[in-house]
Amino acid sequence: MMQPINKIKKYLEQNGYDGILLRKRNNFSWLTEGRKNHILLCEPNGVADWLILKDKNFLITNKMEKRRMLEEECRNLSFEFDTLITEWYESSEGIINKLTAGKHVVTDLPFRDWKMADKDLSVIRSVLSEKEIENYRGVCQDTASILEQTCKELKRGMTELETCALLFRKALERDLNVQVALAAADERIFKYRHPIPTNKKLDKYIMIVICAERGGLVANATRFVHFGPLPPHLIVNKGKLARIDAVMNANTVPGKRISSIIKEGIKQYGLAGFPEDWKLLHQGGLTGYSSREYLATLVSTEVVMENQAYAWNPALPGIKSEDTILVLPNGIEFLTETKTWDYLEVKYGKSSYLRPDILVR
């Protein structure tokens, strides 16, 4: 399969562009097949820019970052580039302007009045190579593993913040950058669909959500733990949600329009007796080099392609389901399924799907 650098060159040629400026961390990781370009974890841009022209590739960074970038992150790359260096207190804008004078260049982050190309890039980078798929499987299995280990080590009385601290420690041990960590205990699960962690103490029931990245690829998953027998309403709702989730995932096949998957999900919400609940939380969408490359809606025109990854996250009162899947020619693979969790079996069409159950402890 074509290397990312060649995909970019093809994109430039097809669209009549002379070059592209890549400043985002995820595009650096994609281009270099998993290398790192970050210092600040809370910023989308990294500490080195790639300026890719038709006949030349430039890495632009500063003296402070030069040695590590060249010796660790850019060592043994399979494409040629020149390195341009500034002082740490200088802007690289002058260098970029000089190199691109008179050229039609696009960018992945706002720069001057150049056209933004990241939406185009998200489509290109979302179709994963065999190497990327292999790496992604590792990221997803590690992410699901630390999430489920955290769930099994929780104790009643721990706060949501302590829960996420445990999750973060496990993530760092596996070289995972946590992009999203949500936690809600007991009544907060029913009140908020996007609950950031607080000092609320766990009594009986908790939801934990993680989006974790390594090498640019992001794994997404949600799990629930309940101490003691489940109340009747959760037993009913978890079964209904598993059906919604299975239908959305089962319909994620090559050639399927994204809007039709959302419509299938909405239909299942209605059959479950919650026709408006899909409006209370986004339902997910394409993933890969972002936790969501875009959010799927009723008017999404995109079409599912082979070797893309998706993460759907339907929710009903008190329960949510989320895993990362890979689209294969003849079905899907649940990348964040570990086989060491408790699952519900859902039959849909001629197939059965295992969806994560609430762990009862």
Side-chain angles (χ1 to χ4, degrees):
M1 189 173 285
M2 191 180 297
Q3 289 184 317
I5 184 68
N6 293 325
K7 288 183 179 181
I8 292 173
K9 292 288 184 74
K10 182 179 179 181
Y11 167 74
L12 296 178
E13 182 179 352
Q14 289 177 336
N15 290 275
Y17 301 137
D18 297 314
I20 186 168
L21 177 64
L22 300 179
R23 316 193 91 174
K24 294 181 72 172
R25 290 163 42 197
N26 62 347
N27 282 328
F28 181 96
S29 293
W30 169 54
L31 176 65
T32 60
E33 298 183 303
R35 311 297 177 89
K36 301 174 183 178
N37 184 29
H38 67 264
I39 296 297
L40 290 175
L41 290 173
C42 57
E43 294 286 345
N45 54 300
V47 295
D49 299 336
W50 283 111
L51 177 62
I52 302 172
L53 303 177
K54 288 182 178 180
D55 58 347
K56 204 75 173 177
N57 305 315
F58 298 95
L59 177 73
I60 305 169
T61 189
N62 58 58
K63 287 183 179 178
M64 183 169 60
E65 308 295 346
K66 173 187 174 182
R67 185 169 182 175
R68 183 184 65 83
M69 294 303 299
L70 292 180
E71 292 182 359
E72 296 185 345
E73 307 303 342
C74 298
R75 179 171 48 90
N76 299 328
L77 289 180
S78 58
F79 59 91
E80 298 297 324
F81 61 91
D82 287 343
T83 307
L84 302 176
I85 308 298
T86 67
E87 300 288 349
W88 66 261
Y89 50 84
E90 293 178 333
S91 169
S92 61
E93 187 170 343
I95 291 176
I96 296 170
N97 287 337
K98 183 177 180 180
L99 292 171
T100 61
K103 300 182 184 297
H104 186 192
V105 181
V106 293
T107 179
D108 65 351
L109 278 173
F111 184 80
R112 292 172 45 187
D113 60 349
W114 292 1
K115 177 184 174 181
M116 289 282 290
D118 198 54
K119 187 175 181 180
D120 295 337
L121 292 178
S122 72
V123 176
I124 299 170
R125 67 179 178 241
S126 70
V127 178
L128 305 174
S129 67
E130 291 182 7
K131 181 178 181 180
E132 288 172 309
I133 290 171
E134 181 183 354
N135 291 340
Y136 208 2
R137 286 190 175 112
V139 175
C140 287
Q141 284 295 301
D142 280 351
T143 298
S145 176
I146 66 166
L147 174 60
E148 294 176 3
Q149 286 174 15
T150 298
C151 290
K152 293 173 182 178
E153 293 175 19
L154 289 179
K155 296 179 181 179
R156 297 177 70 175
M158 288 179 64
T159 67
E160 296 164 351
L161 286 169
E162 288 172 333
T163 297
C164 286
L166 180 59
L167 186 65
F168 269 80
R169 181 179 66 81
K170 293 180 182 298
L172 285 173
E173 289 173 348
R174 302 207 190 188
D175 194 23
L176 292 165
N177 295 322
V178 179
Q179 294 189 351
V180 177
L182 304 179
D186 302 295
E187 70 276 6
R188 289 189 78 232
I189 300 172
F190 297 85
K191 293 172 66 176
Y192 311 116
R193 297 287 169 102
H194 259 169
I196 62 173
T198 70
N199 278 313
K200 172 81 171 66
K201 290 184 178 182
L202 165 63
D203 181 20
K204 291 184 177 181
Y205 191 36
I206 191 166
M207 174 182 75
I208 312 176
V209 180
I210 186 171
C211 301
E213 171 266 332
R214 185 171 65 219
L217 293 163
V218 185
N220 315 270
T222 298
R223 297 291 184 266
F224 285 78
V225 181
H226 194 281
F227 290 84
L230 294 179
H233 66 277
L234 278 182
I235 295 174
V236 172
N237 282 358
K238 73 172 185 175
K240 291 180 176 181
L241 181 64
R243 173 75 181 182
I244 298 170
D245 179 276
V247 169
M248 294 182 72
N249 280 295
N251 277 277
T252 310
V253 295
K256 192 84 168 185
R257 192 175 290 273
I258 295 299
S259 58
S260 69
I261 300 172
I262 292 295
K263 291 174 184 177
E264 291 284 354
I266 292 172
K267 178 182 177 182
Q268 294 300 317
Y269 272 97
L271 293 173
F274 296 91
E276 298 297 311
D277 269 51
W278 67 275
K279 297 179 181 179
L280 301 179
L281 177 70
H282 73 76
Q283 299 299 292
L286 181 69
T287 186
Y289 284 93
S290 294
S291 61
R292 299 297 187 277
E293 294 282 6
Y294 60 78
L295 297 180
T297 71
L298 283 166
V299 295
S300 295
T301 59
E302 295 87 354
V303 172
V304 177
M305 291 186 280
E306 187 179 329
N307 293 337
Q308 285 184 326
Y310 288 82
W312 304 112
N313 49 260
L316 290 178
I319 187 72
K320 172 192 168 193
S321 189
E322 179 183 22
D323 273 305
T324 303
I325 66 168
L326 174 67
V327 179
L328 301 171
N330 300 309
I332 57 173
E333 176 185 342
F334 287 94
L335 297 175
T336 44
E337 183 179 293
T338 63
K339 303 295 187 184
T340 61
W341 192 253
D342 293 340
Y343 296 94
L344 296 168
E345 183 177 0
V346 181
K347 292 185 178 181
Y348 178 69
K350 297 181 180 180
S351 301
S352 292
Y353 299 88
L354 297 178
R355 304 309 304 122
D357 199 350
I358 299 169
L359 179 65
V360 177
R361 294 180 52 194

